[in-house]
Amino acid sequence: MYTLFLSLLLQVLLSVQIYASPVPPQTRATTLYDVIIVGSGPAGVIIASRLSENSARNVLLLEGGGPSYWVTGGTERPAWLAGTNLSRVDVPGLYSSIYTNPSNNLLCQNKIRAYGACTIGGNSAINAGLFYEPPASDFDKYFPTGWKHSDLVPSINRLYATQPSTNNPSLDGLYYEQSGYVAAKKWLVTNAGYSELDINANAARKTKVFGHPVYDYANGQRGGPVISYLQTALKRPNFHLQSGAWVQRVVRTGGTATGVVVNIGGTTSTISLSAKGRVILSGGALKSPELLMKSAIGDPAVLTKLAAANQLGGVPSSSWINNTAVGAGLFDNPNTFIEMSSPSIQAYNYQYDNPIAADRDLYLTKKSGPYSFAGGSCSFWDTITHADGTVAGVQGGLGAAGYQAYTDAMTVTMNVYGTSGLKSTGKVELAGTDWLPGPSGSVYYSNPQDAQDIATFIRRLFDALPGTGLTPLNLNQTSTVAQIVQYITSWTPYTRGQVNHWSSSCRLGSCVNVNTTVIGTKNMHVVDASIIAPLTVNPQMGVMIAAERAWELINKLMV
């Protein structure tokens, strides 16, 4: 009991350390920082933590949003969590409730023209927590010299050593809500010839593989860099976290950043760098390009429009930095929902306010049961090889329940989307009276090859259905590839969905150099999903790997 008390006391103290009243803006404005990181998503937290390992550096991590996890001061939660040290963010089974019970405290409200989190932890505080190691081929095919898989092995090893993960998150060691897994195993392994395996233990294999999802959870709760890296950084006197700090632009003289203009609590001021300091943008694939553009770095045609709207802080055109790769290449996975029904399926509906009493109690007392994971029963991958030898990755997974018109007790949703090797990209566009960032219309299916690849994947899956008892409800099982293409590219509640895996909008080698330095600048960096190429897996772990690698490179520049 005494040990439990100390553990709870430590968590309360840590939450105060993060969520105490912000240091007054004038204090920040009169302090020089060696590193200013903008954005506390996975990449921002990791690189801020790593750079603060050098006690001689004064490191400031700025976050526009507020608390999320309980340990950060987050208190938003349903009544059944009262009396615990848990917020809604901490409970994996409440993941999907962000869509049915949205949060003004966690989501980006009037900050981006897309779905995303603006809070401590960024999207890692609201997503499913999937943690898949990209295959080595992703780095070797799509990344520049200095970022090949062999270059990244130390980064990958450090990440595994720091960030816990599991494919069996329930602390009692049992798997729950597995009817979908059992049905999919018969379908994919027995009929379609997939291999059932431990996904991260076989990271290189992404053709016809199937297994349990891997999550970055710890101790039956949502994990991620906020729980691992950030808690270590907060113990260092040279590390500072400021929430509620909305950065408006980077201040620079020529190609040298000198600070950032930030609004904290309604007061706008400039936080300055030391003489050899660096600014690192880690706000994500939509926000980081926006900040570059509003710092007069980008396509001159875009900057001309921003200047006319008084969005550049008065920077004259003679000081603009021409970098047309800013915001270009934006990627997201085009998503299709296919509702799968079978008498063997037992759908499970997670509830925010009123979970099944036995499941509620199992989680509260043992951190076990359905609420110990986000609800996905399985994940699987395949590849499509084109006539010219190029390869596109495709991915799928089964959820816990059906969607929209198909929500009976025998139906679950299958997510299907394309991954690496897809050819469609868009760009980050600023629009509206506040010139907020959002995706252009060309992100999905602007190249017809992508729809052909995903439709081929679906047709292969349907070919293996006979004898499984599974039936697709919203797409006829006998559909041809051409008919599937027509369906998935049409606008329905089940098609053309945003997965919100935004990436690739400030890519290595074009927007930033191999040291992550923004081309045209000396001490400005981007370290987040913007710099990575589209990956074969959910991008979260890849972003964390990129942050670890960026730390190595930036650390050398600061010696």
Side-chain angles (χ1 to χ4, degrees):
M1 180 64 71
Y2 181 66
T3 301
L4 176 61
F5 170 76
L6 288 179
S7 175
L8 292 173
L9 178 61
L10 176 61
Q11 293 195 52
V12 170
L13 290 174
L14 284 172
S15 72
V16 170
Q17 186 172 11
I18 297 177
Y19 193 52
S21 298
V23 175
Q26 63 269 24
T27 302
R28 296 282 186 219
T30 57
T31 302
L32 297 180
Y33 293 93
D34 301 306
V35 187
I36 298 174
I37 300 98
V38 181
S40 71
V45 167
I46 288 174
I47 198 160
S49 177
R50 288 296 187 198
L51 287 170
S52 69
E53 290 175 353
N54 183 332
S55 61
R57 289 186 191 132
N58 200 17
V59 176
L60 175 63
L61 176 59
L62 297 173
E63 168 56 47
S68 51
Y69 301 75
W70 179 267
V71 75
T72 71
T75 57
E76 183 176 326
R77 60 187 182 182
W80 63 275
L81 292 179
T84 72
N85 60 343
L86 302 169
S87 78
R88 69 182 296 174
V89 169
D90 294 292
V91 182
L94 293 181
Y95 145 69
S96 60
S97 72
I98 199 70
Y99 303 105
T100 55
N101 297 78
S103 167
N104 292 332
N105 298 321
L106 301 174
L107 299 176
C108 294
Q109 302 294 321
N110 302 317
K111 297 298 181 182
I112 60 175
R113 294 182 297 107
Y115 195 87
C118 290
T119 187
I120 296 172
N123 284 338
S124 68
I126 68 167
N127 63 22
L130 292 169
F131 191 73
Y132 295 128
E133 180 181 341
S137 58
D138 278 359
F139 301 110
D140 292 339
K141 290 167 64 175
Y142 304 119
F143 283 65
T145 299
W147 287 78
K148 303 301 184 183
H149 185 259
S150 59
D151 302 308
L152 295 170
V153 169
S155 300
I156 294 169
N157 290 341
R158 282 196 309 275
L159 178 59
Y160 273 124
T162 309
Q163 177 57 57
S165 60
T166 179
N167 65 3
N168 187 9
S170 183
L171 293 191
D172 61 8
L174 301 177
Y175 287 101
Y176 288 83
E177 306 308 322
Q178 291 297 291
S179 63
Y181 189 94
V182 172
K185 181 178 178 180
K186 181 178 180 181
W187 172 24
L188 298 174
V189 177
T190 303
N191 284 20
Y194 280 57
S195 297
E196 182 184 25
L197 43 73
D198 181 321
I199 292 168
N200 278 358
N202 298 272
R205 296 181 59 183
K206 287 296 176 287
T207 299
K208 286 195 171 186
V209 296
F210 163 88
H212 289 286
V214 183
Y215 302 98
D216 62 356
Y217 301 165
N219 302 314
Q221 297 179 204
R222 179 188 292 273
V226 168
I227 301 300
S228 49
Y229 290 82
L230 183 59
Q231 302 313 309
T232 301
L234 284 167
K235 299 173 184 177
R236 302 181 184 124
N238 62 312
F239 175 87
H240 315 276
L241 170 63
Q242 177 75 68
S243 61
W246 291 103
V247 174
Q248 298 174 351
R249 63 183 179 277
V250 178
V251 182
R252 57 183 178 80
T253 301
T256 302
T258 59
V260 297
V261 175
V262 60
N263 185 291
I264 302 175
T267 300
T268 299
S269 61
T270 298
I271 302 176
S272 298
L273 287 173
S274 63
K276 295 184 179 180
R278 292 179 180 270
V279 170
I280 301 173
L281 302 184
S282 297
L286 297 176
K287 287 296 289 182
S288 289
E290 176 203 14
L291 281 176
L292 288 175
M293 294 176 200
K294 290 182 177 179
S295 303
I297 303 171
D299 186 330
V302 174
L303 301 185
T304 298
K305 294 179 182 178
L306 293 175
N310 296 315
Q311 293 292 310
L312 298 185
V315 176
S317 59
S318 59
S319 297
W320 296 356
I321 294 176
N322 183 346
N323 186 333
T324 56
V326 172
L330 180 66
F331 179 81
D332 185 28
N333 307 105
N335 189 50
T336 300
F337 289 162
I338 301 178
E339 305 307 309
M340 305 297 295
S341 181
S342 171
S344 67
I345 292 287
Q346 295 176 329
Y348 187 88
N349 289 290
Y350 288 87
Q351 299 292 326
Y352 183 75
D353 290 309
N354 296 297
I356 295 171
D359 295 341
R360 175 200 65 201
D361 295 344
L362 184 59
Y363 185 77
L364 291 176
T365 59
K366 298 183 178 180
K367 297 291 174 61
S368 299
Y371 282 81
S372 67
F373 71 108
S377 64
C378 65
S379 294
F380 49 93
W381 285 264
D382 201 359
T383 50
I384 308 294
T385 302
H386 306 136
D388 63 0
T390 58
V391 176
V394 282
Q395 180 177 343
L398 287 186
Y403 176 68
Q404 284 281 332
Y406 305 97
T407 55
D408 63 68
M410 297 187 297
T411 300
V412 295
T413 300
M414 176 173 68
N415 285 20
V416 175
Y417 47 83
T419 60
S420 60
L422 265 61
K423 302 179 185 299
S424 301
T425 61
K427 60 183 178 179
V428 177
E429 294 183 333
L430 307 188
T433 56
D434 291 328
W435 296 87
L436 299 179
S440 67
S442 60
V443 173
Y444 309 107
Y445 301 126
S446 55
N447 188 307
Q449 182 66 60
D450 295 350
Q452 186 75 19
D453 291 341
I454 296 169
T456 298
F457 179 43
I458 294 171
R459 184 60 261 165
R460 287 179 185 176
L461 295 174
F462 283 5
D463 287 342
L465 280 173
T468 64
L470 286 163
T471 303
L473 301 180
N474 59 314
L475 179 60
N476 195 299
Q477 184 174 333
T478 63
S479 298
T480 64
V481 169
Q483 289 170 331
I484 298 173
V485 166
Q486 183 178 11
Y487 178 70
I488 67 175
T489 58
S490 63
W491 294 94
T492 77
Y494 310 94
T495 54
R496 299 187 71 99
Q498 293 181 347
V499 183
N500 301 302
H501 291 167
W502 305 111
S503 72
S504 314
S505 57
C506 186
R507 299 195 189 199
L508 287 162
S510 57
C511 180
V512 297
N513 67 18
V514 293
N515 289 320
T516 72
T517 307
V518 177
I519 292 173
T521 75
K522 295 180 180 179
N523 62 339
M524 286 179 62
H525 301 264
V526 176
V527 180
D528 57 24
S530 305
I531 68 173
I532 65 172
L535 300 173
T536 300
V537 295
N538 302 63
Q540 181 163 262
M541 186 176 181
V543 171
M544 296 183 196
I545 293 169
E548 283 279 10
R549 176 57 175 158
W551 165 69
E552 295 175 350
L553 299 167
I554 296 173
N555 197 46
K556 290 179 181 179
L557 296 175
M558 298 188 72
V559 172

